[in-house]
Amino acid sequence: MAETMGFDLAAALKGVPDLNTGEEQIVRLPLDAIDPDPVNFYSLEGPDELAENIETVGLLDPIRVRPNGERYTVVSGHRRRAACLLIRDGGNPMFDSGVPCIVEYGEASDAMRRLRLIYANSCTRERSDAEKRREIEETRKALYELQAQGVQFTGRMRDHVAEAVNLTKSKIGRLDAIGHRCHEYILDAFDQGKINESVAYAFSRLDKALQKKIWVNHLHLGYKPEALTAEYVEKLGDLHRKLCTIKCKKSSVGCPCTYAESRFDYAQKLTHFEGVRENCYRGRCCLGCQEIGTCEWACIKCEAERAQAITEADRLKQQRQTDLEMRQAAAERARREHDEESAAIWARIGRAAAETGRNLEGVLDQLWESDGDVQQILRFVSGEEKDVQHYAIEFLDDCLIDLADLLGCSTDFLLGRTEAVKPAACHSEPVTDVTGVGIRIPDDEEGERIATSPSAPRNDSGEEAAAPEARWLTGTPEKEGWYACLGVWADMPERTINYWRGAWYEEKNSRRVLKDVIITKFFPLPDMEE
C-alpha cells in the first residue's frame, strides 16, 4: 500500500517556485527551443499589448520552463512566450541571443505540475468562465491523482478545489452543474464564449433532450446564440413542463396530450413569446381556446371545434364589414345633407341681399377681413362653387346674427325657418344678439322692448305672433335657466349669455363659473340645449 501523508494544499501552492522543483537556473534560451505545455488550456488572446510593453521595458518576469530532452516546455509564461515571438517576428533583435528563462530541474508529477499551472494563473490573470470551469475539472482530477499516489487530504475536496482555483464554493457549484448537466452543444457554446454563465446554468436545469431541442430550434429560426437570455430559457422550460402535463379532453381516460411538442415548437417560433396563444402560454388544452379558429398550431383532434370557430369568425368579420359600410353610408348621407343645408343658407344670403337692396360684397367686407373668404362666399352665393366643405354652416356660427342685421333680414329666414325675408315683428333698428342662437335682445338697456326668438309662437296664418313683453331685471334670478346678462368687466360694459345655477352664473360655451364680470341686469331666455 502506498504510504500516506498529510498535505497542506494552501501552504504547498503558496510556494509554487519551490514546490518539488529542485535546483533552478536563469539562462537565455532560443525561442525556437521552447514549446508550450500541451496541458495548458488558457487562452493566449491579446498578446499584442503585452508585446508592446516588453519592447518598452523589457521582459521583467522570465519564462519558467522545465527540460524536456533537448528542448524545453513552458511551466508558466505562455502569453509571455507568444508576445516574445511577436516581437521577434516583427524584426526586433532584442531576443536574437535568446529569451530569459528560469529552468526548473527536478522531478514533479504531472498532477503537481498541472496544479502549479492552475494556481499560478488563478492568482495572476483574469480568466473567462470557460477557463474557470476547466480549472475546476483539472484541479479536481489532479487532486484525485495525488490522493491515489498516497497524498492524504484533510477536509472536503471541494474546499481544496476552491482554494486552488481562487473561487467561491457556490461559483464552483454552478460551473460544475454546467459541465456535468449541459448538452454538448450548450457546453461548446459556453466554452467558446457564445453564451454566458447564467444562460448555460439555466440550460443545465433542463433535460438534455429539451436543451438540444431549444438550441436547434433557436439556430434554425436564424437567431444567434448571443440572443439567448436566462429568463427566456427558463420560460421555455416552464412552458414545456406545463404542456407535458396537459391531459387530452378528447380522451375519456385523460391521456397526456400528444400535440405538446408541436405546440412547444410554435411557442418558441414566436420571439420571446410575443403573440403566444393564451392557452399555450398557460399550458392548457386547445379545446375551449378562444383563438382556436385563427391558430394554425391547434391540435388536430379539435378540428371540428376549429372549423366551427372559423365559421363564427367569418360571420363576425362579415357582420363588422356590413356595420362599417352602414356607418360609412350614414356618414356620407349626413355629409351630403349638411352640405345641402349649407348651400341653401348661402343661397338665402344672396336672396336676402337682393330683396333688401344691400350690397352683399360690402356687407361681407364688414364681417371678414380676408378678401379670399369674401370672394369664395360670393361664388357660393352665385352657385359657381358647389363644394362647401370648408364653408359649411359652422363657418357662420360667430357672425350669423350680425350678417342678418347687416342684410336687414331675420336669422329665421337665413336658417330656412320662414320664407319672409323681414317679418313684421322684426325691429327695424339695429339689435344685438348675445345668445349665439338667434334670440334678439334690445340694445337699449333701459328700454322695455319685446324680445323675439326663433321659437316664437305663430298665428293661424303662419305668421309669427307678437312675443310677450319682457323687461331687464335686477338682483338675482328666481329660478335656474338661461339669461342674457348686462355687466361690467374691467370697467367696460359686457353683454353675455349665461346659465344661472341658483347661486352663480356659468359661461355659455365653456360652462366655467363666471368670476370677473359684475352682473347688473339680466333678461330671461327660452330653454336652450346645454
Side-chain angles (χ1 to χ4, degrees):
M1 178 181 293
E3 182 181 355
T4 62
M5 59 180 177
F7 180 74
D8 186 349
L9 183 66
L13 294 181
K14 285 179 181 177
V16 168
D18 302 320
L19 185 58
N20 294 330
T21 60
E23 297 180 357
E24 293 181 352
Q25 182 179 5
I26 299 179
V27 297
R28 281 185 172 271
L29 299 175
L31 275 171
D32 293 333
I34 303 174
D35 300 318
D37 192 336
V39 302
N40 177 61
F41 54 83
Y42 292 100
S43 170
L44 298 181
E45 293 181 358
D48 298 342
E49 294 183 4
L50 180 58
E52 292 179 2
N53 181 269
I54 292 174
E55 283 187 299
T56 303
V57 301
L59 183 62
L60 302 180
D61 190 6
I63 301 173
R64 185 174 291 272
V65 299
R66 67 175 183 274
N68 185 15
E70 296 182 357
R71 300 183 64 80
Y72 297 87
T73 302
V74 176
V75 174
S76 175
H78 289 82
R79 289 183 71 248
R80 280 169 281 164
R81 172 183 172 275
C84 291
L85 286 172
L86 283 177
I87 294 172
R88 186 198 65 180
D89 295 342
N92 192 321
M94 65 184 301
F95 295 124
D96 286 352
S97 60
V99 61
C101 296
I102 299 176
V103 182
E104 297 181 353
Y105 296 98
E107 295 298 329
S109 66
D110 290 340
M112 189 60 72
R113 281 200 292 267
R114 294 202 303 274
L115 279 177
R116 292 169 56 222
L117 174 68
I118 292 169
Y119 188 80
N121 280 277
S122 68
C123 297
T124 59
R125 64 180 292 170
E126 197 68 35
R127 300 104 71 206
S128 66
D129 285 332
E131 289 174 338
K132 293 174 183 176
R133 186 187 70 79
R134 286 291 304 277
E135 283 181 348
I136 294 169
E137 290 183 354
E138 294 297 329
T139 299
R140 187 179 287 114
K141 182 179 178 181
L143 290 176
Y144 278 122
E145 288 180 11
L146 290 176
Q147 193 176 51
Q149 294 171 12
V151 178
Q152 184 176 358
F153 298 98
T154 58
R156 301 172 59 188
M157 183 64 72
R158 174 179 287 192
D159 295 335
H160 296 305
V161 174
E163 195 168 10
V165 298
N166 195 28
L167 294 174
T168 63
K169 287 180 282 189
S170 61
K171 179 77 170 182
I172 291 175
R174 289 172 64 90
L175 293 176
D176 275 342
I178 293 172
H180 297 155
R181 298 202 293 266
C182 277
H183 188 275
E184 59 181 311
Y185 293 168
I186 311 300
L187 197 57
D188 288 345
F190 175 71
D191 287 342
Q192 295 171 23
K194 295 180 179 179
I195 58 175
N196 58 36
E197 179 193 337
S198 60
V199 174
Y201 184 68
F203 270 114
S204 72
R205 302 174 71 179
L206 306 178
D207 179 80
K208 285 190 176 182
L210 179 57
Q211 294 180 38
K212 180 181 178 181
K213 186 182 188 68
I214 294 174
W215 182 262
V216 172
N217 285 350
H218 184 79
L219 298 182
H220 180 71
L221 292 171
Y223 302 124
K224 294 182 178 180
E226 292 80 3
L228 285 167
T229 64
E231 180 183 9
Y232 180 57
V233 174
E234 290 169 357
K235 280 187 176 182
L236 284 174
D238 184 56
L239 176 61
H240 189 269
R241 179 185 59 78
K242 290 178 180 178
L243 291 174
C244 290
T245 58
I246 294 176
K247 300 298 182 182
C248 181
K249 293 184 179 181
K250 286 285 187 176
S251 171
S252 58
V253 294
C255 296
C257 177
T258 58
Y259 212 62
E261 294 299 330
S262 296
R263 293 176 66 188
F264 178 79
D265 291 340
Y266 148 72
Q268 191 178 358
K269 182 179 179 181
L270 303 173
T271 307
H272 298 290
F273 298 94
E274 294 177 3
V276 175
R277 312 292 179 179
E278 179 68 15
N279 272 30
C280 288
Y281 185 76
R282 300 295 180 186
R284 299 170 183 166
C285 180
C286 292
L287 193 63
C289 178
Q290 296 181 354
E291 301 178 79
I292 189 173
T294 58
C295 180
E296 59 180 304
W297 297 83
C299 178
I300 56 177
K301 294 182 180 180
C302 302
E303 190 61 33
E305 289 79 6
R306 186 170 186 270
Q308 181 179 356
I310 291 175
T311 302
E312 179 64 16
D314 290 342
R315 186 191 68 79
L316 292 176
K317 181 180 180 180
Q318 183 61 39
Q319 182 63 44
R320 287 193 295 269
Q321 181 63 28
T322 302
D323 292 345
L324 175 61
E325 293 174 355
M326 292 178 62
R327 289 195 300 270
Q328 290 175 341
E332 180 61 22
R333 286 195 303 271
R335 187 191 65 78
R336 287 198 304 268
E337 293 173 359
H338 185 265
D339 289 351
E340 291 171 0
E341 186 178 358
S342 300
I345 289 180
W346 293 122
R348 283 176 172 271
I349 290 173
R351 178 182 164 189
E355 293 193 18
T356 58
R358 307 294 172 89
N359 183 344
L360 180 57
E361 186 171 356
V363 170
L364 297 178
D365 282 336
Q366 297 183 55
L367 296 176
W368 287 283
E369 297 179 359
S370 171
D371 184 63
D373 285 337
V374 172
Q375 297 303 317
Q376 184 69 33
I377 293 171
L378 290 175
R379 287 194 291 271
F380 288 141
V381 171
S382 65
E384 297 177 14
E385 180 70 51
K386 301 296 185 183
D387 185 9
V388 296
Q389 181 178 359
H390 299 294
Y391 289 84
I393 299 174
E394 292 77 12
F395 186 73
L396 298 172
D397 277 352
D398 296 331
C399 60
L400 185 63
I401 303 301
D402 292 337
L403 179 59
D405 289 342
L406 292 172
L407 290 173
C409 67
S410 69
T411 55
D412 289 344
F413 172 74
L414 295 182
L415 293 174
R417 296 170 178 168
T418 179
E419 292 301 316
V421 176
K422 189 175 181 181
C426 182
H427 297 292
S428 58
E429 63 272 20
V431 295
T432 301
D433 170 57
V434 297
T435 67
V437 294
I439 299 175
R440 314 180 83 187
I441 307 300
D443 285 339
D444 185 5
E445 299 180 15
E446 303 298 333
E448 299 179 1
R449 298 173 185 170
I450 297 173
T452 62
S453 76
S455 58
R458 301 177 182 275
N459 56 28
D460 295 338
S461 61
E463 298 179 350
E464 290 185 0
E469 290 190 353
R471 300 173 179 273
W472 288 101
L473 304 176
T474 59
T476 56
E478 296 180 355
K479 61 179 182 177
E480 293 188 4
W482 293 101
Y483 293 89
C485 300
L486 299 176
V488 178
W489 178 77
D491 296 330
M492 296 293 292
E494 183 80 11
R495 286 174 176 268
T496 57
I497 179 169
N498 307 304
Y499 192 89
W500 175 252
R501 285 293 181 186
W504 62 83
Y505 287 103
E506 292 180 356
E507 295 179 0
K508 176 178 180 295
N509 295 324
S510 66
R511 306 315 306 271
R512 293 178 300 182
V513 177
L514 202 65
K515 294 182 178 180
D516 300 327
V517 179
I518 301 175
I519 304 300
T520 58
K521 295 183 180 182
F522 60 89
F523 188 95
L525 300 175
D527 290 338
M528 297 184 293
E529 292 184 1
E530 296 193 29

